[in-house]
Amino acid sequence: MTTLRIATRKSPLALWQSEHVADRLRATHPGLTVTLVPMSTRGDEVLDRSLAAIGGKGLFLKELELAMLRGEADCAVHSLKDVPMELEPGFALPAILARADYADAFVSNHFADIAALPQGARVGTSSLRRQAQLRALRPDLQLLDLRGNVNTRLGKLDGGEYDAIVLACAGLERLGFDDRIRSRLQAPQWLPAPAQGAVAIECRDDDVATRELCALLDDSGTRVCAEAERAMNRTLHGSCHVPVAAYAQLDGKHLYLAGLVGSAADGRVVRAQAQGRGDAPECLGLEVAQMLLAQGAGEFIAAS
């Protein structure tokens, strides 16, 4: 294989991630020509409703997967947190790159952190996970929907539509907006989306040549942590309809996983954490999910 075509969404962040993967592939495979195939997805086009209302995060993948099936692209690059817990049949993730900053970012032009917000302040986020944790901390806040790419969301904040917004640190840092981060919302008090901060490459399961090319970019430590977080979410039947958060850390042979399920309506949350073996991440994900269910997480999931 001398040319590799990467299907990608057209947002600035998606293009940055795909160019980053392309650069890594060129460096790893001298002589390989890597080109981008930018595409628009339904998740990008419908911005007047939440992801949960229009079908979930899988909307960001569907058109890219169809392009691979039609032979118009060899692989696709995604934020792993946007990849459904169960891939469509016939697809694989040959590489999960080293994770960037996992944390969420509190972004505001006037306030330093969540505690500094005045009563009834307007905070923008369409993520049910972020809404649940915000309500748990500050039930007085007005939580307002916020869709669009990173630049659009920052523009709405700067236009005065919100007093603060919550975004992923990794996305802001990748686009050069590090200075917009007023405070990091981090573990153990605040948990991210499963696999937040990690970029994954998807290709057809039967495309051995592409799988082998991409596999050299795989980061084993990030994959272990992502597999634990995603296994927990999968066991809970989590989706963008359910406020689920998870964060795993690998320390030698030991793997630690913290999980949370909450209610975006009233801010009630249940938490669990456990330690397991680094070579059995799915077992740890299952264990933490069962601990959450034992504490009543099923009620929040059923209500979603």
Side-chain angles (χ1 to χ4, degrees), residues 17-217:
Q17 292 175 168
S18 295
E19 283 288 4
H20 173 67
V21 169
D23 287 342
R24 291 284 308 278
L25 286 167
R26 293 182 190 112
T28 306
H29 304 284
L32 179 68
T33 298
V34 184
T35 60
L36 303 190
V37 183
M39 305 182 68
S40 182
T41 72
R42 181 164 166 76
D44 296 306
E45 293 165 356
V46 182
L47 299 177
D48 59 346
R49 285 168 284 165
S50 70
L51 280 178
I54 61 174
K57 291 181 176 179
L59 293 173
F60 289 132
L61 278 71
K62 195 64 181 175
E63 281 84 353
L64 308 187
E65 290 175 337
L66 289 173
M68 287 186 274
L69 291 176
R70 289 192 300 261
E72 297 167 4
D74 303 299
C75 63
V77 171
H78 312 293
S79 293
L80 185 52
K81 70 181 180 66
D82 292 336
V83 177
M85 297 307 109
E86 299 284 358
L87 287 179
E88 287 293 318
F91 290 96
L93 298 178
I96 298 174
L97 280 66
R99 191 177 210 164
D101 194 332
Y102 73 89
D104 275 335
F106 175 85
V107 182
S108 175
N109 293 326
H110 305 291
F111 306 101
D113 51 33
I114 293 174
L117 288 169
Q119 286 281 116
R122 301 160 301 156
V123 180
T125 175
S126 293
S127 160
L128 298 181
R129 171 188 61 82
R130 290 169 177 157
Q131 290 178 11
Q133 293 183 88
L134 283 166
R135 288 205 192 284
L137 290 170
R138 291 285 305 272
D140 61 288
L141 297 176
Q142 294 184 61
L143 304 186
L144 306 173
D145 275 343
L146 175 65
R147 291 284 315 282
N149 62 44
V150 172
N151 306 63
T152 298
R153 297 184 194 200
L154 290 173
K156 290 181 177 181
L157 172 69
D158 295 341
E161 295 183 39
Y162 309 93
D163 297 301
I165 60 177
V166 180
L167 301 171
C169 285
L172 290 166
E173 291 162 354
R174 286 166 177 155
L175 293 176
F177 293 127
D178 313 52
D179 59 339
R180 301 301 300 265
I181 301 173
R182 295 297 299 272
S183 62
R184 291 175 72 251
L185 306 176
Q186 58 190 352
Q189 292 83 9
W190 182 285
L191 297 182
Q196 183 162 302
V199 170
I201 305 175
E202 181 185 23
C203 70
R204 296 195 330 271
D205 198 26
D206 62 359
D207 186 348
V208 177
T210 298
R211 289 184 65 163
E212 291 178 348
L213 276 174
C214 297
L216 292 181
L217 301 189

Side-chain angles (χ1 to χ4, degrees), residues 220-245:
S220 58
T222 298
R223 182 176 286 271
V224 164
C225 291
E227 286 180 350
E229 295 166 15
R230 285 169 61 81
M232 186 204 89
N233 200 17
R234 187 183 305 114
T235 304
L236 294 169
H237 304 292
S239 67
C240 61
H241 300 268
V242 181
V244 174

